Amino acid sequence: MVQGAGKRRHVYLGIDFVLAHTESAACVMAAVHGRLAGTAGAAVVTRGPGVTSAANGLAQASLDRYPLLLLSDGVPQDQAARTAHQRLDQVATTAPLTRWSGRLGHATPYKDVMAAAALARRPPAGAVHLTLDPSVPGDPVHEPVDAPGPGHGAGDVRAALARAQRPVVVVGLDAADLGAPLHAVLEQVGCPVLTTYQAKGAVPESWQGYAGLFTGARIEAALLEQADLVVGVGLDPVEPVPGPWPYEADVVLLHRHPVDTAYFGGRVTLHLGDYETLLLPLLGHLASTWPVGTGTRTLAARHKALDASAPGLRPHDVVRAVQEELGDVPVTVDAGAHMLVAMELWRTDRPGQVLISNGLATMGFALPAAIAAALARPDRHVVCFTGDGGLGMVLAELETVVRLGLPVVVVVFDDAALSLIAAKQQPDGHGGTAAVQYRSIDFAAVAAACGMRAERVHDLPGYERALHVAFGSGGPTLLDVAVDPSAYGAVLDAIRGPRRISS
Ligand SMILES: Cc1ncc(C[n+]2csc(CCOP(=O)(O)OP(=O)(O)O)c2C)c(N)n1
Ligand SMILES: [Mg+2]
């Protein structure tokens, strides 16, 4: 139930208008709403600083493949000679962050906006920018030209799939929403299945074939080393953390648009087509000799490897307590050490329930994403898992949650530190704790000042009690949870290995 949903919102020409505090957060909100609603979300910003401040949101939409249309004011060309104030080449500034950027002029504005929104949605989805300039006719919106991938004939792919005895399927962001038809064919094959962060829930995680997340790092290596074929379904190389591809197995990528295959080394085949009519039937040619229950056992081993102890409140228990209280609710996850724990331990059986920036992997994503998720799915609680560092970047959006009366519960993994960076610091490196530790912020007091119900908790019983009250009340709530970061080093070792692949 949403308390007071619709408060302080403005609908104009059928478009719901929400005021945000920063342009980058507005872009994240619009892009996430677009991702969930299956349409392009739009953000409107002022000229100059409005555009430069939107940069991170544009990059998030483009690298996470979310559909976003940014509309900016600009200095019109016929005034540019005498207007230096806030004048930037806004088209050039945003070009590297968008699929397309151009001027919206007077010739065919309606058609151009529709074309831009369609381009933002077309796979791979991303950001498109239009800057208003009524003094020019406008630039024709056009597709970026994708390089064709090294495709093979369907016969080759079918034979490669049919030859495999120990295939592992990795579902990526482009196939995240296929749902029941994907699950049905994979259930019939019976091989272990991994999903990327953005495809979490693409197959039910309670299903015995689900073997955990594909990260590009060490935690899935024990499984992939035994595979004789890795089949990526909608697997976009923007997701795995940088590092080598150390596996012997051949790779077949099934995708609906060309993707860069360099990440997977030499033995890779990219096969393009429509999922429903071509690619899912192709998956049906796979067979599996993996022992029954490989997925479940792999997942259990992963959880065991993560289960580091700590004297204080463990991030693990912070995540588990929410799931025990609420079950499979929509969650958003920020970037940081808490993310490693949240993504591994949270369980969902449905796609689109866990939202994370994993292409850009930006901090400051989870709170605006939670706002958008609550607007897109007004009947449910949304849980926002964020670090103290990431929340600090978008703090004023707490007021947006309150103003809109959204049922968002913000859970802050508060360790007064950039713990992911602290865990990666070289022991003999520069900076020391001064480079990664903050003074403690009382986020509960800050949230209360924004009009939010908020509490600071220090131990598990207090946290569980506060969660129960928060979810019972249904309104906007922030829980500032003092977590013990001492287990993160062991978590990072288990997931990424001692080499600490960077991201
Ligand atoms: C906007 C942005 N700046 C910097 C980074 C690099 N980075 C990744 S995680 C991290 C630390 C996050 O700290 P916090 O939010 O407190 O989470 P914690 O690691 O402590 O759980 C940093 C600086 C990033 N991903 N995004
Ligand atoms: Mg922190």
Side-chain angles (χ1 to χ4, degrees):
M1 188 197 75
V2 177
Q3 286 199 340
K7 274 186 205 166
R8 306 275 191 94
R9 280 159 71 184
H10 181 65
V11 179
Y12 181 67
L13 294 175
I15 299 173
D16 203 354
F17 182 91
V18 171
L19 179 66
H21 286 267
T22 69
E23 289 80 357
S24 56
C27 286
V28 171
M29 286 178 208
V32 170
H33 198 278
R35 156 80 179 84
L36 295 174
T39 178
V44 184
V45 299
T46 190
R47 59 177 68 172
V51 173
T52 47
S53 175
N56 204 48
L58 291 174
Q60 186 273 312
S62 291
L63 287 190
D64 289 321
R65 320 301 192 210
Y66 286 11
L68 170 68
L69 176 58
L70 179 70
L71 295 163
S72 66
D73 176 38
V75 176
Q77 193 170 293
D78 64 356
Q79 294 169 31
R82 58 168 309 277
T83 309
H85 184 69
Q86 295 188 326
R87 191 188 67 211
L88 285 172
D89 184 344
Q90 296 182 175
V91 171
T93 304
T94 56
L97 305 171
T98 54
R99 299 199 70 204
W100 189 80
S101 180
R103 293 168 304 171
L104 182 68
H106 61 254
T108 52
Y110 179 79
K111 181 168 153 271
D112 294 341
V113 169
M114 297 305 280
L119 178 57
R121 285 183 60 190
R122 199 163 306 144
V128 173
H129 171 221
L130 287 173
T131 188
L132 268 62
D133 186 346
S135 75
V136 299
D139 302 324
V141 177
H142 60 78
E143 267 309 311
V145 182
D146 290 319
H152 280 224
D156 297 341
V157 173
R158 202 175 300 138
L161 295 177
R163 260 197 315 273
Q165 300 198 336
R166 289 185 318 284
V168 172
V169 170
V170 182
V171 184
L173 65 87
D174 195 55
D177 293 337
L178 291 176
L182 174 69
H183 181 215
V185 71
L186 293 175
E187 203 165 25
Q188 176 205 318
V189 172
C191 68
V193 177
L194 302 168
T195 62
T196 63
Y197 275 18
Q198 287 188 208
K200 202 168 157 64
V203 294
E205 295 188 352
S206 54
W207 169 53
Q208 59 149 358
Y210 178 66
L213 294 165
F214 172 76
T215 65
R218 173 175 153 148
I219 191 155
E220 64 267 14
L223 180 71
L224 291 177
E225 277 161 4
Q226 298 173 60
D228 61 358
L229 182 71
V230 176
V231 184
V233 184
L235 180 56
D236 188 320
V238 76
E239 279 210 79
V241 291
W245 176 258
Y247 307 111
E248 298 280 307
D250 286 341
V251 179
V252 169
L253 298 179
L254 305 178
H255 225 288
R256 63 181 160 162
H257 59 77
V259 288
D260 206 337
T261 59
Y263 172 82
F264 300 97
R267 296 162 62 181
V268 55
T269 304
L270 173 66
H271 192 77
L272 301 178
D274 172 71
Y275 290 117
E276 275 85 359
T277 58
L278 190 72
L279 302 180
L280 293 188
L282 266 181
L283 279 179
H285 292 276
L286 285 170
S288 165
T289 60
W290 289 98
V292 175
T294 300
T296 311
R297 273 195 301 280
T298 307
L299 196 58
R302 288 173 81 123
H303 287 178
K304 191 152 174 266
L306 284 179
D307 202 18
S309 62
L313 180 47
R314 295 186 323 154
H316 307 56
D317 299 319
V318 175
V319 176
R320 282 204 186 102
V322 177
Q323 187 116 60
E324 276 162 23
E325 180 71 33
L326 269 198
D328 191 355
V329 287
V331 298
T332 65
V333 185
D334 218 64
H338 63 284
M339 158 200 90
L340 300 172
V341 176
M343 293 304 289
E344 286 288 335
L345 297 188
W346 188 261
R347 304 289 294 265
T348 180
D349 282 346
R350 286 176 289 163
Q353 287 283 92
V354 177
L355 296 165
I356 181 163
S357 167
N358 194 37
L360 184 64
T362 183
M363 295 162 71
F365 169 83
L367 181 57
I371 292 171
L375 289 168
R377 298 162 165 179
D379 54 332
R380 312 202 210 148
H381 280 289
V382 177
V383 176
C384 165
F385 287 136
T386 178
D388 52 291
L391 180 62
M393 293 180 174
V394 287
L395 207 49
E397 302 303 344
L398 292 174
E399 184 279 331
T400 309
V401 177
V402 176
R403 175 168 28 99
L404 301 177
L406 299 173
V408 170
V409 177
V410 181
V411 175
V412 192
F413 292 72
D414 190 355
D415 43 25
L418 302 170
S419 285
L420 185 58
I421 310 304
K424 290 188 203 173
Q425 262 181 332
Q426 304 292 325
D428 55 350
H430 298 291
T433 55
V436 289
Q437 283 185 3
Y438 294 114
R439 264 174 57 89
S440 175
I441 296 176
D442 184 344
F443 286 103
V446 176
C450 294
M452 193 178 256
R453 246 181 34 79
E455 206 171 321
R456 222 173 185 203
V457 289
H458 300 271
D459 54 29
L460 192 55
Y463 172 59
E464 286 171 341
R465 231 183 352 262
L467 269 181
H468 191 68
V469 175
F471 295 132
S473 89
T477 306
L478 180 140
L479 299 179
D480 183 6
V481 189
V483 293
D484 181 342
S486 62
Y488 283 142
V491 168
L492 204 58
D493 282 349
I495 295 180
R496 300 208 175 158
R499 280 188 311 107
R500 303 276 158 93
I501 294 169
S502 168
S503 155

